[in-house]
Amino acid sequence: VFVYCCLGTNWSHPNLAERLRLAFDILPKKYVKNLRKLYILYANSSVRLTMWSFWGWLSNAFWKKLEYANSIEFICEELYPD
């Protein structure tokens, strides 16, 4: 599970893509390959639009793993339903 928090993120900043790439490059390849869920926390409409702009470059498997969350409580409930 990977959680990316968008709160306070300036999506127009030119280094954002570089920072995201760095975050994924730090992770071992096995982690990325076996990733079950990618939660984007506090995603506003510009974040969602930016993600949709990459639709053609990302696999269906990736889109199935991606989920937007509006609270940490939601993610905790998803991960630990009991």
Side-chain angles (χ1 to χ4, degrees), residues 29-47:
K29 296 292 182 198
K30 286 184 179 183
Y31 182 89
V32 175
K33 182 181 175 186
N34 295 320
L35 184 68
R36 289 187 175 184
K37 278 287 191 193
L38 167 62
Y39 290 101
I40 299 182
L41 185 59
Y42 306 123
N44 58 24
S45 57
S46 65
V47 171

Side-chain angles (χ1 to χ4, degrees), residues 11-56:
W11 281 82
S12 64
H13 195 279
N15 292 337
L16 181 62
E18 181 182 327
R19 290 179 187 160
L20 287 172
R21 183 79 246 167
L22 177 65
F24 274 98
D25 288 344
I26 289 171
L27 298 172
K29 296 292 182 198
K30 286 184 179 183
Y31 182 89
V32 175
K33 182 181 175 186
N34 295 320
L35 184 68
R36 289 187 175 184
K37 278 287 191 193
L38 167 62
Y39 290 101
I40 299 182
L41 185 59
Y42 306 123
N44 58 24
S45 57
S46 65
V47 171
R48 292 172 190 245
L49 183 61
T50 301
M51 290 302 297
W52 275 97
S53 68
F54 293 111
W55 178 262

